[in-house]
Amino acid sequence: MADVVQYRLERMVDELDDLESRGIFTRREIAEIVKQRRKFEYRLKRPSPLKQDFIAYIDYETQLDALRRLRKKAATRELLRQGKKKTKTRKSVSDFAPVSRIMEIYRLAVMRYKGDVELWFRYLEFCRQRKNGRMKKVLAQVIRFHPKLPGVWIYAAAWEFDHNLNVAAARALMQSGLRMCPNSEDLWVEYLRMELTYLNKLKARKVALGEDKGTLVRDKKDADEKQWKEENKDLFMSLDDEDKENNDHVSDEESEKKLDLFSEHASGLLKTVYSGAIQALPSSFSLRKQFLEILESIEVADSEELRSEILRDMKRDFSADPEYWDWLARLEMSDASITGEKNEDAMHSRLQMAVQVYEEAIEAVPSATMFKLYINFLLDAIASERGEVEAFSLSDHASSYISDILKVYEKAETTGCLTEELACQCISFYTQLGRLEEAKKVAENLCSGKLLDSVQLWLLRVSVEIRCITKDSLSPSKADALSIFELFRTVLTKMSISEAESLWIMALKFFANQKKSFEKLIELSLKAVAKYGGSENGFSLSSAVVNFILQKDGLKHAREVYKRFLALPHPGLALYKNCIELESNLASLGNEDSLVNTRKLYEAALATYDQDTSLWKDYHSVETKLGTSETAAAIYWRARKSLKDSAVDFTSPDQL
């Protein structure tokens, strides 16, 4: 290894001598350069060099070459400052060696890591920036190793087309790429873009020579200007003879014929590529959209026929896809922006056409996704109306959109496509409009149907009920509080504690200041914990109740309640830990009763969870801080005896 490294360093002698003789680097700097290169060379000669070793070497050489070029420019400026004439200096070995060395390091890196595409593209970018003539060779190598990667073919064709100006080679690369990767959308789209760009360049050449006019790229400003001139052509009447006018008319006809030749060629090209693409990717919806976008951005012959054909094919192949119908409806609005229809009535008529598309869609594809897309579209329309209206009052169009949304919700319910998400969205929409009574009726109806087990729906229903009874006064009457409690009782007795977590929290907060209702809620929670058992971790209903009571009524009442929970068959580890934390905090303040209660709680918890290591550790920690050394040691030996296999964690009482 040392001989190879020494040999490679000796090959750098001429370059280093040249750098010193030209005054770019000093002898001390050159010694440091040699030291760094020796270190990198040894890294690369290891049995298994890392990718980062190659990258670090390349970065070092790149920075070193950048410094060399800066100092070379500085030396040239210094000569000019001294009054010497600027002469073109011949390039020496130090000008070529850095690029050659970096290229060699890249070659070694990609041969070592052939599958690293990112490394290959770094190599290609370096070749493209330095223009050292090895780009074609590297492209051939990366295509040989990664023929199934569409990005490689696109990069190679783009370089041939843009930098090497070889259209035939770029076309051959694209076609080879399509044969190797026929299922790549990007390849089909980029191939069409390349061919149309080449055709537009040919037309631009004709325009530059004065043999043609216009371009294939569709420009809205030019189209508007042409339309205005046609409408006001009397203002541009020539004062010359009629013969000159006739000659101009003939020349215009000839240029239009030439334009037709290019547009017909572009049309035929688009048809050919489109047919090949849909044969290779018949189920790709995004590919059809991209072809349509390209068609709308260029001027081709029979563009309307091509557009209609693409739309017919999309309807035939994707009529069962909700995404297609959503795109088709929104296309109506995008057409309005393209054609320049900005007045309110024109936009409203376009939106009605989009609504008709959605109506057809929910008949063809009656699904929850389709209804959701329809509603989102109408909500976007309302948002745009609100953005245009300065006052808070909505326009007539926005009011009609609101009624349309409500009808869509009703139709979703009648067709059986109303999901939990749509139902919650419907109730929220009513509340946003301020129609609380209607929201209340809708929520009641939905909660008694097939969405009976939806927690989110019950949450919305309860919140709407609470808003209805508190809109006039902050404190509800006894009858209203009783109705809310019965509503909570209905849902909380049907669902498990884990499912109704948010409902329990809401109930505790709402009834916190109502003594009788809160006591009834405690009884209800005791029945729930007895039925479903306590939680080992996560949300614990009993812990939540105890914490609420502690904040509201104090420690004494909280102790009474948690003792009632602990008397149940399965109170849960979470409750034990919560009560232990409560009592231990008080014991640390010097409360002897709390220390006694803490020990009782630990003993009760360990009677059920004697294999819980963290519980033993916490118990020992409490005894260490608040008890005596004898009690702490006793807990340690009990833990060793109980845990057995896990006792390796307890090598000494201090580490417990």
Side-chain angles (χ1 to χ4, degrees):
M1 186 198 312
D3 294 341
V4 175
V5 171
Q6 186 64 28
Y7 171 72
R8 292 178 63 86
L9 292 174
E10 288 175 358
R11 293 180 61 187
M12 305 174 190
V13 171
D14 294 339
E15 173 199 356
L16 297 173
D17 288 342
D18 186 57
L19 290 171
E20 184 181 5
S21 62
R22 298 173 70 178
I24 296 176
F25 292 117
T26 63
R27 180 173 289 275
R28 179 176 295 179
E29 290 173 333
I30 289 174
E32 182 62 26
I33 292 171
V34 172
K35 179 181 178 181
Q36 292 295 326
R37 286 179 176 175
R38 178 179 283 107
K39 180 181 69 175
F40 285 120
E41 290 290 343
Y42 271 111
R43 286 184 183 178
L44 298 189
K45 291 304 174 182
R46 291 188 297 181
S48 298
L50 302 175
K51 174 187 171 181
Q52 191 58 37
D53 296 334
F54 293 100
I55 299 299
Y57 198 1
I58 291 168
D59 291 341
Y60 174 76
E61 289 293 340
T62 303
Q63 294 171 8
L64 184 65
D65 187 49
L67 178 61
R68 180 194 63 81
R69 285 186 275 115
L70 285 174
R71 290 191 175 183
K72 184 179 178 181
K73 290 180 181 179
T76 304
R77 287 195 299 269
E78 185 64 27
L79 290 175
L80 291 174
R81 192 179 294 111
Q82 293 176 1
K84 296 182 180 180
K85 292 183 178 180
K86 183 178 180 180
T87 58
K88 188 175 181 180
T89 58
R90 182 180 299 177
K91 289 188 176 182
S92 61
V93 64
S94 62
D95 296 312
F96 300 103
V99 177
S100 300
R101 184 175 301 104
I102 295 172
M103 291 288 294
E104 178 63 17
I105 300 170
Y106 267 122
R107 187 189 68 80
L108 294 173
V110 296
M111 288 299 105
R112 179 73 183 182
Y113 297 96
K114 298 181 181 68
D116 196 319
V117 179
E118 181 185 357
L119 193 59
W120 277 106
F121 276 107
R122 283 190 60 163
Y123 191 10
L124 290 170
E125 280 298 303
F126 181 80
C127 294
R128 184 183 63 82
Q129 292 171 2
R130 295 308 176 96
K131 301 177 181 179
N132 59 346
R134 294 186 61 180
M135 188 69 173
K136 279 194 172 184
K137 183 178 180 181
V138 179
L139 282 173
Q141 288 178 331
V142 69
I143 287 173
R144 188 178 73 214
F145 288 116
H146 298 280
K148 294 293 183 180
L149 196 65
V152 171
W153 296 100
I154 295 172
Y155 188 96
W159 182 80
E160 289 285 358
F161 186 83
D162 296 328
H163 298 278
N164 210 29
L165 304 179
N166 191 340
V167 180
R171 183 181 293 114
L173 283 168
M174 275 293 192
Q175 292 173 354
S176 299
L178 288 172
R179 285 192 291 271
M180 296 299 297
C181 310
N183 297 326
S184 172
E185 295 182 17
D186 294 336
L187 265 177
W188 284 105
V189 172
E190 293 303 324
Y191 177 50
L192 178 60
R193 291 186 191 277
M194 186 193 74
E195 292 289 0
L196 292 174
T197 303
Y198 176 59
L199 199 61
N200 197 41
K201 284 185 175 183
L202 291 179
K203 181 170 178 55
R205 180 175 177 273
K206 290 284 187 180
V207 172
L209 294 174
E211 300 176 1
D212 205 345
K213 64 179 182 179
T215 177
L216 290 178
V217 179
R218 183 172 295 175
D219 192 346
K220 182 180 177 298
K221 292 182 179 179
D222 293 342
D224 293 342
E225 184 179 352
K226 184 177 180 181
Q227 182 181 358
W228 185 82
K229 286 184 177 180
E230 288 291 335
E231 294 173 353
N232 301 275
K233 60 183 178 180
D234 295 339
L235 301 175
F236 298 94
M237 290 294 293
S238 175
L239 299 177
D240 295 338
D241 297 332
E242 293 182 358
D243 294 337
K244 184 175 180 181
E245 182 181 350
N246 293 333
N247 291 334
D248 293 340
H249 183 67
V250 171
S251 61
D252 290 341
E253 289 183 352
E254 291 178 355
S255 63
E256 287 179 2
K257 288 181 180 179
K258 292 178 181 177
L259 178 62
D260 289 339
L261 290 176
F262 280 103
S263 62
E264 287 175 4
H265 192 178
S267 178
L269 180 65
L270 199 148
K271 287 180 181 178
T272 304
V273 179
Y274 172 73
S275 61
I278 62 174
Q279 287 179 7
L281 295 164
S283 60
S284 176
F285 178 64
S286 60
L287 181 64
R288 313 282 183 97
K289 289 197 297 184
Q290 291 183 75
F291 271 106
L292 195 62
E293 290 172 1
I294 293 173
L295 174 62
E296 291 176 347
S297 64
I298 60 174
E299 294 282 356
V300 297
D302 305 327
S303 60
E304 289 300 323
E305 294 180 7
L306 276 172
R307 187 177 187 272
S308 300
E309 179 184 353
I310 294 175
L311 289 175
R312 282 197 306 270
D313 292 344
M314 293 175 76
K315 187 171 184 179
R316 180 195 64 206
D317 297 335
F318 303 103
S319 59
D321 187 1
E323 183 186 356
Y324 159 72
W325 291 103
D326 183 57
W327 169 82
L328 185 63
R330 292 180 183 273
L331 184 65
E332 296 289 343
M333 302 303 296
S334 62
D335 288 344
S337 61
I338 291 173
T339 55
E341 299 176 5
K342 294 295 184 181
N343 57 9
E344 187 177 351
D345 293 333
M347 293 297 292
H348 180 65
S349 63
R350 283 284 183 177
L351 191 137
Q352 290 302 316
M353 294 173 64
V355 168
Q356 292 176 6
V357 174
Y358 277 114
E359 291 292 336
E360 182 184 355
I362 60 177
E363 294 294 333
V365 192
S367 64
T369 304
M370 193 69 254
F371 279 101
K372 181 181 177 181
L373 294 172
Y374 190 3
I375 292 168
N376 289 340
F377 173 77
L378 293 175
L379 289 174
D380 292 341
I382 293 175
S384 63
E385 287 285 337
R386 281 179 172 170
E388 294 173 0
V389 178
E390 293 183 0
F392 289 100
S393 60
L394 294 175
S395 64
D396 295 336
H397 294 323
S399 301
S400 66
Y401 301 155
I402 290 174
S403 62
D404 289 339
I405 290 176
L406 298 178
K407 291 177 182 177
V408 174
Y409 280 125
E410 293 176 3
K411 189 173 291 186
E413 184 180 2
T414 55
T415 55
C417 298
L418 193 67
T419 60
E420 179 184 359
E421 182 182 0
L422 284 177
C424 295
Q425 194 178 14
C426 177
I427 298 172
S428 300
F429 187 66
Y430 272 110
T431 55
Q432 288 175 6
L433 296 175
R435 304 180 184 179
L436 294 179
E437 292 298 329
E438 295 181 49
K440 178 181 176 181
K441 292 179 182 178
V442 171
E444 184 178 355
N445 182 34
L446 292 174
C447 287
S448 59
K450 67 175 185 178
L451 298 174
L452 180 64
D453 297 329
S454 172
V455 178
Q456 293 299 322
L457 201 57
W458 277 101
L459 272 173
L460 279 175
R461 181 184 174 183
V462 173
S463 62
V464 169
E465 293 276 358
I466 293 173
R467 287 182 63 179
C468 287
I469 66 175
T470 56
K471 63 180 179 181
D472 296 328
S473 62
L474 294 177
S475 59
S477 63
K478 291 183 179 180
D480 291 333
L482 182 60
S483 65
I484 295 294
F485 182 80
E486 291 301 324
L487 189 61
F488 272 116
R489 183 200 295 274
T490 302
V491 61
L492 293 176
T493 53
K494 290 179 180 179
M495 297 182 183
S496 65
I497 296 175
S498 59
E499 292 175 340
E501 173 185 345
S502 50
L503 284 167
W504 280 107
I505 297 297
M506 179 184 287
L508 289 170
K509 289 180 179 179
F510 183 75
F511 295 112
N513 297 322
Q514 302 175 33
K515 186 176 181 181
K516 291 184 178 180
S517 298
F518 194 80
E519 290 177 354
K520 292 180 182 180
L521 192 63
I522 292 174
E523 297 297 330
L524 197 62
S525 65
L526 286 166
K527 293 178 181 179
V529 174
K531 181 179 179 180
Y532 298 105
S535 173
E536 306 300 331
N537 47 46
F539 173 72
S540 173
L541 174 60
S542 50
S543 298
V545 172
V546 170
N547 291 334
F548 265 94
I549 293 174
L550 179 65
Q551 295 175 5
K552 189 171 72 77
D553 299 329
L555 177 62
K556 183 179 179 181
H557 195 193
R559 277 177 178 165
E560 293 175 358
V561 173
Y562 83 62
K563 287 178 181 179
R564 294 178 65 185
F565 277 111
L566 291 175
L568 297 175
H570 301 287
L573 181 61
L575 176 62
Y576 279 113
K577 289 186 175 181
N578 186 69
C579 297
I580 287 169
E581 182 181 2
L582 187 154
E583 296 288 357
S584 60
N585 289 337
L586 293 173
S588 62
L589 298 176
N591 192 323
E592 293 294 334
D593 293 337
S594 295
L595 181 58
V596 173
N597 291 332
T598 302
R599 287 170 176 164
K600 289 180 180 179
L601 289 169
Y602 270 119
E603 293 297 336
L606 290 171
T608 306
Y609 306 99
D610 60 335
Q611 297 300 313
D612 192 298
T613 307
S614 61
L615 199 60
W616 283 107
K617 287 185 177 181
D618 293 340
Y619 194 5
H620 179 269
S621 177
V622 169
E623 290 293 347
T624 303
K625 294 177 182 177
L626 305 177
T628 62
S629 59
E630 290 81 2
T631 56
I635 297 301
Y636 167 73
W637 292 112
R638 284 178 60 192
R640 288 289 301 268
K641 184 178 179 180
S642 178
L643 293 173
K644 296 179 182 177
D645 295 338
S646 303
V648 292
D649 296 333
F650 310 114
T651 55
S652 68
D654 295 333
Q655 295 181 6
L656 186 63

